[in-house]
Amino acid sequence: MRWVEAIGRDIERNPTGDSEIHEEARAAAAELGGYTDTMVASRRAQRSSGRMAGDDVLGRLVALQNVAHLRLEERRLREVLLGLLVAGVEPIAASISLALGELIDRPGALQVARAAAASGDDDKLWAVLREALRFSPPRLMLARSCGQSHHLAQGTADEVVVPAGATVVVATAAAAFDPARVDEPEHFRVDRPEHPDFLFGEGPHACVARHVATAAVREACKALLGHEFHLSGPLRRDGGRPISFPVGLAPLRAAG
């Protein structure tokens, strides 16, 4: 997680290109790459001796290296694992913590989420969790470099020309509270209708694993919602991301 945090900080929270943050990320990527190479070599040795490489993500990727057209060479396999950790595992874990942390402070919404989880109403449960993540998103903003000159909001009063090479910071957390896009944005609504997706994005650059992430967050929260739970310590954050979320669990008491 230390490696993932350092890499994620450089990708997501370093719009000015701070050299110290960038070098920490490079060092973390090198360490993670070395660890990955060692793990891959171990799994490949298992496979060469006639055993399975492991029934997990790494084992399946090693097995797929024998499929010629996939071109899953060492560097590509390392990139896939790094992408899964930085863009998959860590944000999903953060989303689970952030959504539950938001519900703890909203007893009414927590009750609706518990009822949906107990009845198996996945759509209703996700609607509540999605609203919680609108208030406490795993990413507050995105920083991108403009490849070519672009007219933003062309033909409107907000039109601006973004020059090629400019760094553009997109404040998605703030956009989720734009009254022009979200009705009554300051209100937490468990029945909120669909609105622009500030969590996974839309169009050609939407999150490719959005369905996997949705299921993972929903099912993890569903398991915890079957218990009484409370924060047993402070929710610690680093740049908005939870790094410690201590929760105390107890059996859920029956109503009445």
Side-chain angles (χ1 to χ4, degrees), residues 120-159:
D121 189 342
D122 288 348
D123 291 339
K124 182 66 174 180
L125 176 57
W126 178 245
V128 179
L129 296 175
R130 186 170 182 256
E131 180 73 343
L133 290 171
R134 187 174 68 87
F135 278 78
S136 293
R139 288 189 173 90
L140 302 179
M141 60 90 176
L142 297 170
R144 294 290 185 267
S145 179
C146 185
Q148 60 186 27
S149 180
H150 179 72
H151 282 262
L152 194 64
Q154 191 169 12
T156 73
D158 298 318
E159 181 177 352

Side-chain angles (χ1 to χ4, degrees), residues 46-212:
Q46 288 179 221
R47 188 171 175 81
S48 64
S49 65
R51 294 176 293 163
M52 285 185 63
D55 189 21
D56 56 15
V57 171
L58 178 56
R60 295 181 185 198
L61 287 172
V62 169
L64 285 172
Q65 285 191 299
N66 290 338
V67 180
H69 71 275
L70 290 181
R71 298 177 60 192
L72 196 60
E73 66 276 5
E74 298 301 299
R75 179 173 178 177
R76 179 56 182 157
L77 191 149
R78 181 193 288 190
E79 290 172 348
V80 169
L81 289 173
L82 179 60
L84 283 172
L85 287 169
V86 175
V89 175
E90 199 276 336
I92 287 174
S95 295
I96 294 165
S97 301
L98 290 166
L100 291 177
E102 194 68 36
L103 292 179
I104 285 175
D105 293 333
R106 302 176 183 274
L110 177 59
Q111 185 176 0
V112 173
R114 278 213 168 104
S119 66
D121 189 342
D122 288 348
D123 291 339
K124 182 66 174 180
L125 176 57
W126 178 245
V128 179
L129 296 175
R130 186 170 182 256
E131 180 73 343
L133 290 171
R134 187 174 68 87
F135 278 78
S136 293
R139 288 189 173 90
L140 302 179
M141 60 90 176
L142 297 170
R144 294 290 185 267
S145 179
C146 185
Q148 60 186 27
S149 180
H150 179 72
H151 282 262
L152 194 64
Q154 191 169 12
T156 73
D158 298 318
E159 181 177 352
V160 64
V161 177
V162 182
T167 298
V168 180
V169 177
V170 184
T172 51
F177 286 83
D178 182 354
R181 292 289 181 265
V182 180
D183 186 40
E184 298 181 315
E186 299 301 326
H187 293 129
F188 190 106
R189 292 176 52 182
V190 297
D191 60 347
R192 182 173 294 284
E194 289 292 317
H195 55 74
D197 198 329
F198 304 105
L199 189 59
F200 296 115
E202 296 179 339
H205 293 288
C207 175
V208 296
R210 61 186 302 168
H211 301 297
V212 174

